[in-house]
Structure formats: structure tokens, C-alpha cells
Amino acid sequence: MKILFLDMDGAGANSDKLIYDWINKKINSGLSKTEARKQYMENFGDGLEAIFPEKARLVKKIIDSTGAKIVWSTDWRKYFPYKRNIDAAKEMLNRPNMCGDSLIGYTPDLGFYSFRGNEINEYIMTTKEKGENIEKCAVIYKKQTKNPYIQYNC
């Protein structure tokens, strides 16, 4: 099995500038500001759940080309409505050009002072203890490096 550990904050979610640029493109193509904002929210969500289309396409491209499954390492896994509710997370990720069906789990929450890498290691060890083979994995996590895509030794 191939796994993509995915952070949503920064690596997957929007910044105000990206939202502004996307909406302005739509306005420049003839939509009203109200219609452009409405179209954005219908397709990509609002607030914390807003996911920029280009980032969604890149994640989908990785999933489609590798057959990897997604494990959320994002802090989003700790909060309502996603805490202990993977179906809510899959539903949110099943918007256009996304891949919610590939989401298979969350890394464990090891506490406030836990390092993200420790949570990923715990997930890998627990999965291997269950007898499941992790062939390869990668991490998309904005804060770890200038390049948010990292190969990881499984």
C-alpha cells in the first residue's frame, strides 16, 4: 500500500490571496463579484474548509498516478465535524477534482506537544503491526520544508 500523509492547513487549504486571485479571474471573465464568490463556495467550500482548486488537482494527480491512499495528518482531524468521523472528512473531500474516497484514516493525536513526525511514525508502526504492508509513503506538510512534498522512509 502507498500512503500520502496529507496536511490541509497551508499545504492543502487556501490562502486569502489565492481565493482573491481565483475570484478576480472569474470576474475578469465576465461574472459578477457575487456570482464568482458563490461559484467558488459551491465548488471549494468556505472558511477553514476552503480548498484551492489547483492544490486539489495536484493531490488528485498524485493519488491517481500512484494509487496511494490518503491519511490525514492535519490538525483538522482533531476538530468537529471530523473528529472520530472519517465519513464527514470524506464527504468534504468529495468535491469536484478531489479524492475523498482515497481517505482511509487519520494519524493518531499524541497530544499538544507531539511532533507531526511522531504521529506519522505511530501510524506506520501500528499499520505494520496489523500485518499491512506499506510499500511507500510521502508527506505533504507545509511547515516541514520549503518543498511541502517529502519522501518518507516507511
Side-chain angles (χ1 to χ4, degrees):
M1 167 171 48
K2 297 173 185 171
I3 295 179
L4 178 66
F5 291 97
L6 183 61
D7 174 38
M8 297 301 293
D9 303 310
N14 280 322
S15 73
D16 290 339
K17 174 151 177 30
L18 292 174
I19 295 169
Y20 177 82
D21 289 348
W22 190 92
I23 289 173
N24 274 340
K25 262 189 202 174
K26 293 293 182 177
I27 292 169
N28 291 336
S29 71
L31 286 180
S32 70
K33 184 175 183 178
T34 302
E35 191 57 35
R37 291 179 67 88
K38 180 181 174 193
Q39 196 176 92
Y40 181 88
M41 287 190 282
E42 286 172 355
N43 287 300
F44 309 110
D46 189 22
L48 285 177
E49 293 182 351
I51 298 171
F52 194 64
E54 184 58 29
K55 292 179 181 183
R57 278 191 286 276
L58 291 172
V59 170
K60 185 165 176 26
K61 184 177 179 181
I62 291 169
I63 298 304
D64 289 347
S65 65
T66 64
K69 299 295 182 187
I70 296 172
V71 173
W72 257 8
S73 61
T74 183
D75 282 338
W76 291 16
R77 74 196 192 280
K78 300 176 186 179
Y79 306 109
F80 177 82
Y82 310 118
K83 188 172 186 173
R84 293 188 288 280
N85 187 355
I86 195 167
D87 291 332
K90 284 182 177 186
E91 183 179 329
M92 188 275 294
L93 290 174
N94 268 333
R95 288 183 266 179
N97 294 313
M98 296 186 68
C99 42
D101 293 335
S102 297
L103 181 64
I104 61 168
Y106 303 157
T107 54
D109 179 5
L110 300 179
F112 184 74
Y113 295 105
S114 177
F115 173 65
R116 186 75 45 106
N118 293 341
E119 295 171 339
I120 291 170
N121 282 331
E122 182 68 26
Y123 183 91
I124 291 168
M125 289 187 323
T126 302
T127 301
K128 287 183 175 183
E129 286 171 2
K130 292 178 187 174
E132 297 177 44
N133 180 36
I134 299 177
E135 178 185 334
K136 288 187 177 186
C137 57
V139 178
I140 296 182
Y141 182 52
K142 181 181 178 194
K143 294 176 187 171
Q144 226 160 338
T145 180
K146 289 180 184 176
N147 177 2
Y149 177 78
I150 313 168
Q151 284 289 131
Y152 198 86
N153 283 332
C154 299

